[in-house]
Amino acid sequence: MKRLHSFILKSFLGPLAFTFFICMFVLLMQFLWRYIDELVGKGLEWTVIAEFLFYVSATLVPMALPLAILLASIMTFGNMGENYELTAMKAAGISLQRIMQPLTTLVVIISISAFFFANYVMPVASLKTTSLLIDIKNQKPELILKEGIFTNDLPNFSIKVDDIDKETGMMHKILIYDHREGRGNTNVTVADSGTMVTSPDKKNMALTLYSGNMYQEVKTKSRRDKKHPSRRIKFQEYKTNVPLRSTELKRGSEDRYSKNYRMLNLKQLVHSEDSLQGKLQNEKKRLVTGLLARHYFKKESKSMRKDSLKSQDLSAKTLNVDSLFKSATITKQLTSVSSALSFARKARETVSRKEGDLLVQEKWIKKFSNEWHRKFTLPFACLIFFFIGAPLGAIIRKGGLGMPVIVSVLFFIFYYIISMTGERFAKELVLPPAIGMWISSLIILPLGIVLTYKATTDSAVFNIENYIDFFKKINPAKFFKKKNA
């Protein structure tokens, strides 16, 4: 490896790793902020949380990697331009394309790796993330007592505590509704103070109450008995054990979501789309056959068949509908028209109802095609952003995290908005998947070509000093003097 290539690669790999982890951290924090309510208070072990964050991080790579390449390329070439290293290389007869050659090879390798990652790793990570997130959502929260609020986390108990001593854990003014008998609020306990201690195995809770009363409604033999006998028990100290819900996370089967389009690779996507498309076509054929059988070719009644046989030649293969209708009586004509209208309305209702169902199925099938194209848009986006960032950094000639971050974020937001818009149009069947999923790349690609050309020709299109000098040359006084003359 040439020394120059080694220098350029070292200058690029450091910012790439730094920006990639920064982007991953920001996106991960955004994800946690969105699902923080589902994770807090579930008593999850740190291994489960670490596993969940690992899978989530894998699903965020498609957004973080292109942005990191864009930002790292701008920073690398901006630093070299700011330190006059690009100028020295060009003075030695080295073109910008030759300077970008080792990084181009590296980005191509990264793009190919990103394709295999999107095809083989992303489906597994999405499946693990979805399955684990649903299991966490279904996990019952830990027992957390809040002052002045009823807590229903204990099985068959509803507890309210007015005051809790943070240091000793002593609770004051306790109100407990015991629903273990399943007869409503028939067992109420009021205590001046008490403590709750969880057993080491976290299966039971020792409840100790002091200075209180227990009010119990006695169960009668007949429900029609209007008398409601009750008893009151006064105690100085009362102890009981309350069973707790299992705090272990129950892991469900991952097969529940394995047929989702995000959990499939290219081969599985094609197979699933063909299978669903075949089912859709069969359903359309059944709809047409049913409409013809039920609402178009109706069987004649015996009386109508006799009348038609009398008025038509038996050897005729087809019936003249108009003559048959005119030969009938007014009553039969009105009955026929009424029946035809009824059949037409039923057919219209059937078509309208089935049209909505078929449209939903067609949109679902298109999602498989969209996901197929997404496998290729990720590596292509990495290439495009490199050919935007590298020449843009050479033009701007500013390193660090100031100007490069601003420019990178603006370009990425522009690309992301177009990408989401095209994907939405593809999902709503406004655009074909091949256009909707690739429209952002097709719009950004000419920009990369133009920037590479401008950087090769040493364009000063982003040089602010040139614009300042241009406006300084304009003399407003001289302009108004000519106008008045």
Side-chain angles (χ1 to χ4, degrees):
M1 182 183 295
K2 295 181 180 180
R3 186 173 298 178
L4 178 62
H5 292 175
S6 177
F7 168 74
I8 295 174
L9 288 174
K10 290 180 181 179
S11 302
F12 179 76
L13 290 175
L16 178 62
F18 174 74
T19 53
F20 177 74
F21 285 110
I22 290 296
C23 295
M24 288 291 295
F25 177 78
V26 173
L27 294 174
L28 188 59
M29 290 301 103
Q30 181 186 10
F31 180 88
L32 291 178
W33 181 261
R34 180 180 178 184
Y35 292 99
I36 190 67
D37 293 336
E38 306 291 343
L39 304 175
V40 174
K42 297 299 181 71
L44 301 175
E45 297 182 359
W46 70 270
T47 54
V48 176
I49 298 176
E51 180 185 1
F52 180 69
L53 295 180
F54 176 76
Y55 293 141
V56 171
S57 300
T59 61
L60 298 176
V61 170
M63 290 187 64
L65 186 58
L67 180 58
I69 290 177
L70 175 63
L71 184 55
S73 57
I74 294 178
M75 291 176 61
T76 301
F77 283 86
N79 285 327
M80 289 192 294
E82 188 176 10
N83 297 327
Y84 299 101
E85 293 170 346
L86 282 179
T87 304
M89 296 179 191
K90 292 179 180 180
I94 304 174
S95 62
L96 181 63
Q97 288 81 358
R98 189 176 175 185
I99 298 172
M100 294 172 56
Q101 183 179 356
L103 296 184
T104 303
T105 305
L106 176 63
V107 172
V108 169
I109 296 174
I110 294 176
S111 300
I112 296 174
S113 303
F115 167 74
F116 286 104
F117 182 88
N119 191 34
Y120 296 105
V121 180
M122 276 287 296
V124 178
S126 299
L127 177 60
K128 298 285 187 180
T129 301
T130 303
S131 178
L132 188 54
L133 181 60
I134 297 300
D135 293 337
I136 292 175
K137 287 183 178 181
N138 295 332
Q139 174 72 1
K140 298 297 182 181
E142 286 185 325
L143 177 62
I144 301 177
L145 295 176
K146 296 183 179 180
E147 298 178 353
I149 299 176
F150 276 100
T151 301
N152 301 314
D153 295 334
L154 281 176
N156 301 318
F157 281 89
S158 183
I159 304 175
K160 189 183 79 167
V161 179
D162 288 351
D163 181 60
I164 301 176
D165 193 331
K166 305 298 181 182
E167 296 182 358
T168 62
M170 181 65 70
M171 303 176 296
H172 301 279
K173 295 183 179 180
I174 304 171
L175 176 62
I176 301 176
Y177 288 95
D178 188 348
H179 301 143
R180 285 179 289 186
E181 295 182 0
R183 298 189 298 116
N185 298 327
T186 59
N187 193 332
V188 182
T189 303
V190 180
D192 180 70
S193 60
T195 58
M196 299 178 70
V197 180
T198 306
S199 62
D201 57 1
K202 295 184 179 180
K203 294 183 178 180
N204 296 285
M205 177 171 288
L207 178 61
T208 305
L209 303 177
Y210 303 100
S211 301
N213 295 280
M214 185 180 297
Y215 303 92
Q216 297 178 345
E217 183 177 319
V218 180
K219 185 177 180 180
T220 57
K221 296 182 180 180
S222 176
R223 294 183 179 181
R224 298 180 180 179
D225 191 357
K226 297 182 179 180
K227 297 180 179 180
H228 299 282
S230 61
R231 60 171 171 260
R232 173 187 171 187
I233 302 174
K234 186 176 182 180
F235 60 85
Q236 293 297 323
E237 183 179 357
Y238 174 76
K239 294 183 179 181
T240 184
N241 287 329
V242 180
L244 295 176
R245 293 190 179 102
S246 176
T247 57
E248 296 181 0
L249 181 65
K250 297 180 180 179
R251 305 292 290 268
S253 176
E254 296 177 355
D255 295 335
R256 298 170 293 174
Y257 316 102
S258 59
K259 301 300 181 182
N260 189 281
Y261 60 93
R262 293 187 181 274
M263 289 60 170
L264 305 177
N265 54 34
L266 290 177
K267 185 178 180 180
Q268 294 170 338
L269 286 170
V270 174
H271 180 269
S272 299
E273 184 179 1
D274 292 341
S275 177
L276 292 174
Q277 195 69 41
K279 293 180 181 179
L280 180 62
Q281 295 301 325
N282 292 334
E283 190 168 350
K284 289 182 179 179
K285 291 180 181 178
R286 288 196 300 268
L287 174 62
V288 174
T289 304
L291 287 175
L292 293 176
R294 292 192 302 270
H295 304 293
Y296 193 79
F297 296 110
K298 298 292 294 182
K299 293 183 178 179
E300 296 177 337
S301 62
K302 294 182 178 180
S303 59
M304 290 293 293
R305 188 180 297 113
K306 292 179 180 179
D307 294 339
S308 64
L309 292 175
K310 292 179 182 179
S311 60
Q312 298 293 331
D313 187 7
L314 293 173
S315 62
K317 295 183 179 179
T318 59
L319 296 176
N320 191 335
V321 179
D322 293 335
S323 61
L324 181 63
F325 180 77
K326 292 178 181 179
S327 63
T329 61
I330 298 297
T331 304
K332 291 183 177 180
Q333 289 181 359
L334 294 176
T335 303
S336 300
V337 172
S338 178
S339 300
L341 288 174
S342 177
F343 294 148
R345 293 190 186 98
K346 292 180 180 178
R348 184 179 61 183
E349 293 175 359
T350 302
V351 171
S352 177
R353 182 177 65 256
K354 294 298 294 185
E355 184 182 10
D357 297 338
L358 295 176
L359 182 61
V360 171
Q361 295 182 31
E362 193 170 354
K363 288 182 178 180
W364 175 253
I365 294 173
K366 289 301 180 182
K367 290 182 179 181
F368 288 82
S369 182
N370 295 340
E371 190 66 23
W372 188 90
H373 287 280
R374 196 194 307 275
K375 306 293 185 184
F376 298 94
T377 56
L378 170 60
F380 195 70
C382 296
L383 285 173
I384 293 178
F385 279 134
F386 172 72
F387 284 104
I388 290 177
L392 193 59
I395 294 173
I396 295 176
R397 298 177 182 178
K398 293 289 184 182
L401 291 174
M403 182 64 70
V405 171
I406 297 175
V407 176
S408 299
V409 170
L410 291 177
F411 269 105
F412 187 77
I413 291 176
F414 177 67
Y415 171 83
Y416 186 75
I417 291 175
I418 298 176
S419 178
M420 290 295 101
T421 304
E423 184 177 351
R424 178 60 61 86
F425 285 165
K427 288 181 178 179
E428 297 297 329
L429 308 181
V430 179
L431 292 175
I435 298 178
M437 298 301 295
W438 287 93
I439 188 171
S440 56
S441 300
L442 296 177
I443 292 176
I444 295 294
L445 180 60
L447 181 60
I449 297 174
V450 171
L451 288 175
T452 303
Y453 172 75
K454 290 293 184 180
T456 305
T457 57
D458 294 329
S459 174
V461 65
F462 283 95
N463 194 345
I464 301 178
E465 295 180 357
N466 292 340
Y467 296 100
I468 296 175
D469 294 338
F470 173 76
F471 285 106
K472 283 183 179 179
K473 292 178 181 179
I474 299 177
N475 191 349
K478 186 176 181 180
F479 174 76
F480 284 110
K481 185 176 180 181
K482 288 183 179 181
K483 186 176 181 179
N484 294 331

